Amino acid sequence: MSAGRRGPRRPYRREEAPIELRARATATFPALSTTPALARGLLRDTFASWALTEATDDVLLLTTELVTNAVVHAGTDVDVIVEATEDAVIVSVTDRYSARSLPAVATPPPDTSEGGRGLWLVQTIAARWGVEHWPTGKRVWFEVAVPGGIVPAERRVKAAAMPTVAPGRVLVAVVAADRAGLVTGWGGDSELMFGWAEEEIVGRPLSDVLAQEGGRVALVEQLAAAESWHGHVAVRTADGPITTCYASHRLATTDGSLLCLWTATETGWALRPLTRTPSGSAAGLAGILGLADAVVARMSLDDLLAQVLRRLCVALRGDAAYVLLCDEGEKSQLRAAYGFDVDEHAELKGRSMDGIAGRLGEHNLPLILEDLTGQDGDPLLSAQGLRCAVAAPLVVEGKMIGSLHVAARRVSAFETDDGVRLAQVSDRIALAVERARLSELDRRRRGWLAYVAEASDLLAGTLELDRTLALVAQLVVPALGEWCAIHLLQEGGESTLDYMWHADEARGDDVRAALRTLPAPERRTQATQTPPNRRQPWRPPADDALSEYDRLVYPLVARNNVLGSLTVGRSIASRYQDDEIDLAEDLARRAALAIDNARQFQQRVEVVTALQRSLLPPEAPVITGCEIGVAYLAAGGGSDVGGDFYDVFQIDNVRWGVAIGDVCGKGPEAAAVTGLARHTIRILGRDGRDVTSVLERLNLAILDEGPRARFVTVAYAVVEPIPGGALVEICSAGHPLPMLLAADGTVCAVGEPQSLLGVLADPGLRSQRLQISAGDALVFFTDGVTERREGDRMLGEEGLAKLLRSCAPMPAGAIAARIERAVVDFQPHPPRDDMAVVVIRVL
């Protein structure tokens, strides 16, 4: 076993002391491009069933990396196992590939690298990880700590339902407790609601029936310290399940005892909480928030802000409340509100809120504006007709992270005590808000990181330009925008709209038409590149044909060349935030590299195709008395020049030359020798030289190339049609012997094997003469036909001969096509060697 470690941590081993598993889930996936997404779906469903939320983004990210590695590098089925212990989640990814190589990653890959981050991320994020090898595969696992783990199914508490009562009646439990926290009274609907009889509960601690998150004793102490309190509490019923009630508590003024009224709904208030308390007192804070510190610390950011704003608005008698939070650029942005719909003011997101928030930042002190009439107040206040406001900064370690605001429609609605109380609340929740905000930001960034990692894998998976453009657009939409447009610069410097995608197909044509009327954005985006290695976005003016969208335009720059631009857009009501702008910039950089790779590959294929075409005859000639069939297939999908060649040319009025050969190697060097061989044979053959003389002179020409020379195998024949058949003189210099397919279906090799060219100065070549009859076919081929393999099985000359026996009645073109199809279908993978076939059949 090999494992990556940080510090003294040891990899998890099965042979160690057994670990108590609380839950386990497994699945097997095929090696497909969609497998990472399927694995993430398994994890999300599993975590949802386990009620697990901690560290899920980390687990999703690392699992995506390992499953992607298994699919790409192993290419086998992938087993994913998810296990939960008391305080951790362990994920195992197993493939069926026997190779043992797995590089250790000590440092991150370069920023320009499009891969290599999988194990580095595992090493960086996971608490422990390791690798196990077997003869038939390997297992990569990692462990991520989850504080508290998951609650076992058998210990999960079920919520209790309130008893059914007559319509219109509200259940109210009246509970009293003394200063020591012991229950002294149990009246009203207490027994009906919770099942406890009065004699069972009186005299017991109040904490015995409370199941409040954050500690029951702490809640009782808080209730006893507060003059008044209201909010939600969890109460344990007599038979075990828990029910949530709306509570209103009031501290008696005589002996300090506590009176509690618990109801099934908020409308069942029997006591109205105090709205005015001494400034600066603990009772005032508890009366406003009604939340324990432990509860505040565990709430999500949205839930915390919603609770605080609602309670602040009621306690300070305001008409609206909202909170602004500072982003990384220290701009105040609207985050949550009570009293009006945030979505109605989405256009304010992403803009600096100067108003009251700007004044708070000067001294980090609360502020009361008695009358905003005629003043340049906050845009939110003006939009709602609010005329008075009180605000307090949210400060953490001396830095303002945001501000709390309460506003009213009446002038002079707030007093100094209101500002002090608001400041006390902001001081109390500032750290919790910052922690929740950073936790949310961290989860968001990890989600973006997983998104970028998946986008990189997808972009690296194709070298076709059209497919790359479509993939870039579909990665952007809808994750980063409603639509995406890609402009590319052509050779003459003209910019064209090469691809556009809209989430709503009905609106795509309108956006496409508007983009064609606007000037190309490349020149403007080039001017924004400061420094040159950054792709800063350009925001087009808001008064053009697409003014309803907030747009970001990024230059597509790869290898210091501007390829074009990437434009993303979405409704102006949802302006782009800073982290989204950075993410789009990162995606634009990766897209530019993928597009440049695809364009270069396309240009290479075009060059290779043109060069390959120049090395082959333009078309098969027409020979009186014979028919010709040819087939040619270059390996590598057209990305490199093949070394196989053939030629059929007229020598004189009655004779024709037929040549087929194979140059050792591929690429430009092999192509140079291929051109030399084909043209030398054609020139010398037309000069009237005999078969052996042509090949001997070609051998000297190859040797004259010196270090650039390549070994060449050639079969060259001169065919002279005669009545009822044809005369053939043939010489095979190291090349597979041609096969003669007789009209009756018999097959045999013709000629004799001799030395290949480019080795000896005098190869001692000899030619053979034969006569073939009407209906016979002479089949020339290269070793790419006979050496086609699938594992240990090879087509071979016997397989080719068997194939030819079934082709006896076929014309020459059909025979060549049949051989090509048989070679391609011999195994599912594309051929690794070039193939050339020439068939001469006597009519």
Side-chain angles (χ1 to χ4, degrees):
M1 175 192 296
S2 61
R5 304 183 178 119
R6 290 190 302 170
R9 292 180 297 182
R10 296 177 294 111
Y12 168 70
R13 296 175 182 267
R14 294 287 183 181
E15 63 269 22
E16 293 178 357
I19 294 178
E20 179 184 355
L21 295 180
R22 291 192 171 185
R24 189 173 190 267
T26 65
T28 300
F29 303 102
L32 302 174
S33 60
T34 57
T35 294
L38 295 176
R40 287 194 298 273
L42 167 70
L43 293 180
R44 291 191 183 98
D45 293 343
T46 300
F47 293 157
S49 66
W50 293 349
L52 180 64
T53 58
E54 294 290 337
T56 54
D57 288 333
D58 289 344
V59 177
L60 288 173
L61 173 62
L62 300 186
T63 303
T64 298
E65 293 293 336
L66 294 184
V67 172
T68 301
N69 284 346
V71 171
V72 173
H73 300 297
T76 66
D77 288 351
V78 181
D79 298 327
V80 179
I81 301 176
V82 189
E83 300 170 321
T85 65
E86 182 179 356
D87 57 359
V89 168
I90 302 170
V91 176
S92 303
V93 177
T94 304
D95 60 52
R96 319 287 174 80
Y97 187 60
S98 59
R100 293 184 56 84
S101 60
L102 189 66
V105 181
T107 58
D111 292 340
T112 56
S113 174
E114 292 298 320
R117 292 181 172 81
L119 291 181
W120 178 74
L121 286 173
V122 174
Q123 176 180 279
T124 303
I125 297 175
R128 296 187 298 177
W129 72 284
V131 184
E132 297 175 359
H133 289 276
W134 299 280
T136 58
K138 65 177 177 295
R139 167 181 172 264
V140 185
W141 63 269
F142 66 86
E143 177 182 315
V144 174
V146 180
I150 68 171
V151 179
E154 65 275 8
R155 287 166 45 192
R156 294 178 189 169
V157 179
K158 299 181 179 179
M162 279 290 179
T164 305
V165 297
R169 181 187 172 192
V170 176
L171 297 177
V172 178
V174 180
V175 183
D178 60 18
R179 300 181 65 178
L182 300 178
V183 176
T184 58
W186 188 259
D189 298 312
S190 300
E191 183 174 351
L192 178 61
M193 292 170 63
F194 310 119
W196 299 95
E198 182 177 5
E199 58 272 14
E200 293 178 313
I201 200 64
V202 171
R204 295 175 58 176
L206 182 60
S207 60
D208 285 355
V209 297
L210 292 176
Q212 189 71 13
E213 184 181 11
R216 297 186 298 253
V217 177
L219 176 61
V220 174
E221 293 176 352
Q222 180 192 6
L223 298 181
E227 183 173 342
S228 66
W229 185 93
H230 64 96
H232 289 88
V233 295
V235 181
R236 189 179 303 279
T237 59
D239 56 354
I242 294 172
T243 184
T244 301
C245 302
Y246 196 84
S248 178
H249 306 274
R250 183 162 185 169
L251 190 66
T253 57
T254 54
D255 58 358
S257 61
L258 184 68
L259 178 63
C260 309
L261 288 94
W262 296 336
T263 64
T265 63
E266 290 189 36
T267 58
W269 281 20
L271 290 179
R272 181 177 179 80
L274 294 178
T275 57
R276 304 289 290 177
T277 55
S279 61
S281 68
L285 247 68
I288 292 176
L289 287 182
L291 299 171
D293 287 337
V295 176
V296 170
R298 293 193 174 195
M299 295 178 71
S300 68
L301 182 58
D302 289 335
D303 290 342
L304 175 61
L305 296 179
Q307 291 285 343
V308 169
L309 293 177
R310 182 175 65 84
R311 295 167 191 264
L312 278 175
C313 198
V314 173
L316 299 185
R317 307 171 317 283
D319 296 307
Y322 62 95
V323 62
L324 304 178
L325 293 181
C326 299
D327 60 13
E328 294 182 347
E330 299 185 354
K331 294 188 300 183
S332 296
Q333 301 179 9
L334 175 64
R335 177 53 196 260
Y338 177 79
F340 60 87
D341 190 356
V342 176
D343 293 336
E344 294 179 358
H345 302 277
E347 72 278 1
L348 296 175
K349 293 183 178 180
R351 297 183 182 177
S352 178
M353 308 286 286
D354 293 331
I356 301 176
R359 305 182 198 182
L360 288 172
E362 297 178 2
H363 304 290
N364 283 348
L365 295 174
L367 177 67
I368 298 178
L369 296 181
E370 299 288 350
D371 189 356
L372 294 174
T373 305
Q375 300 185 31
D376 294 329
D378 199 306
L380 285 176
L381 305 183
S382 302
Q384 298 296 317
L386 301 168
R387 301 177 60 189
C388 180
V390 57
L394 294 167
V395 180
V396 175
E397 296 182 354
K399 179 181 179 181
M400 180 175 169
I401 64 167
S403 54
L404 285 175
H405 302 250
V406 180
R409 293 185 175 88
R410 59 192 184 281
V411 177
S412 302
F414 303 108
E415 301 176 4
T416 303
D417 283 350
D418 295 318
V420 173
R421 296 171 71 196
L422 185 61
Q424 292 172 342
V425 173
S426 68
D427 288 343
R428 177 181 170 187
I429 69 169
L431 185 57
V433 170
E434 179 68 356
R435 286 175 177 170
R437 186 185 71 85
L438 292 177
S439 178
E440 181 184 78
L441 182 61
D442 183 64
R443 288 194 299 271
R444 182 180 174 92
R445 286 178 173 173
R446 290 184 184 276
W448 285 135
L449 182 59
Y451 165 77
V452 170
E454 186 171 357
S456 299
D457 290 341
L458 291 174
L459 291 174
T462 179
L463 286 174
E464 296 181 19
L465 181 58
D466 292 341
R467 184 177 297 180
T468 300
L469 296 179
L471 190 58
V472 170
Q474 294 177 29
L475 284 171
V476 171
V477 179
L480 288 172
E482 297 176 17
W483 56 268
C484 169
I486 302 175
H487 290 77
L488 294 182
L489 292 175
Q490 307 305 317
E491 292 185 0
E494 178 185 1
S495 175
T496 59
L497 178 61
D498 280 62
Y499 199 90
M500 188 270 167
W501 179 258
H502 199 295
D504 184 356
E505 295 184 4
R507 304 178 62 187
D509 291 340
D510 295 337
V511 174
R512 187 177 292 104
L515 286 170
R516 295 188 188 281
T517 64
L518 298 176
E522 279 73 24
R523 295 185 181 276
R524 186 63 179 267
T525 55
Q526 290 180 51
T528 64
Q529 297 181 67
T530 52
N533 62 335
R534 296 286 294 175
R535 283 81 164 164
Q536 298 295 333
W538 168 58
R539 270 194 162 106
D543 57 353
D544 57 18
L546 294 173
S547 58
E548 61 181 300
Y549 297 103
D550 182 28
R551 287 164 287 160
L552 302 175
V553 182
Y554 291 89
L556 294 173
V557 182
R559 301 177 179 92
N560 295 324
N561 294 319
V562 178
L563 309 178
S565 63
L566 172 69
T567 305
V568 295
R570 67 186 182 194
S571 172
I572 196 68
S574 303
R575 293 178 62 85
Y576 285 99
Q577 306 299 305
D578 288 346
D579 61 336
E580 294 173 317
I581 293 175
D582 293 340
L583 178 67
E585 185 274 330
D586 192 2
L587 187 61
R589 178 175 60 82
R590 297 168 190 265
L593 186 59
I595 291 172
D596 188 50
N597 289 339
R599 293 183 80 172
Q600 291 193 20
F601 180 78
Q602 180 175 287
Q603 293 171 359
R604 176 186 175 91
V605 169
E606 292 174 354
V607 171
V608 167
T609 302
L611 180 57
Q612 189 77 67
R613 192 182 301 116
S614 69
L615 298 177
L616 299 174
E619 59 184 10
V622 177
I623 302 178
T624 303
C626 297
E627 59 181 8
I628 300 176
V630 297
Y632 185 87
L633 182 64
S639 61
D640 212 343
V641 185
D644 290 10
F645 67 93
Y646 70 89
D647 199 3
V648 180
F649 57 91
Q650 187 173 9
I651 297 176
D652 50 36
N653 294 333
V654 295
R655 294 185 303 164
W656 295 79
V658 180
I660 190 168
D662 186 0
V663 176
C664 178
K666 292 181 179 295
E669 295 83 0
V673 179
T674 300
L676 171 67
R678 189 175 79 85
H679 292 292
T680 299
I681 293 174
R682 176 176 282 236
I683 293 172
L684 294 176
R686 284 182 170 176
D687 196 35
R689 296 180 181 272
D690 57 37
V691 172
T692 56
S693 176
V694 169
L695 296 183
E696 288 171 350
R697 292 295 298 271
L698 173 60
N699 180 62
L700 295 177
I702 294 173
L703 293 175
D704 287 343
E705 292 294 306
R708 297 180 300 177
R710 297 291 184 101
F711 301 146
V712 181
T713 67
V714 180
Y716 175 53
V718 174
V719 180
E720 180 182 350
I722 61 175
L727 298 177
V728 179
E729 183 181 3
I730 188 170
C731 180
S732 180
H735 199 79
L737 298 179
M739 288 190 177
L740 177 62
L741 171 61
D744 60 0
T746 59
V747 178
C748 64
V750 296
E752 60 177 309
Q754 301 182 63
S755 175
L756 53 78
L757 306 183
V759 179
L760 303 174
D762 184 10
L765 301 176
R766 301 175 304 279
S767 64
Q768 292 79 39
R769 297 176 182 272
L770 67 150
Q771 179 177 342
I772 59 178
S773 304
D776 294 349
L778 194 59
V779 181
F780 298 82
F781 57 91
T782 59
D783 58 6
V785 174
T786 54
E787 294 182 1
R788 177 71 160 150
R789 294 178 178 272
E790 183 183 24
D792 296 334
R793 190 168 61 96
M794 187 170 67
L795 179 61
E797 295 183 0
E798 293 183 0
L800 178 59
K802 181 180 179 180
L803 175 66
L804 290 176
R805 292 188 189 101
S806 63
C807 300
M810 294 182 179
I815 295 174
R818 179 75 176 274
I819 295 173
E820 179 182 7
R821 186 171 66 252
V823 171
V824 173
D825 295 343
F826 192 74
Q827 67 155 315
H829 300 293
R832 296 184 178 181
D833 196 5
D834 306 325
M835 178 196 73
V837 177
V838 178
V839 180
I840 305 293
R841 184 172 180 271
V842 180
L843 297 177

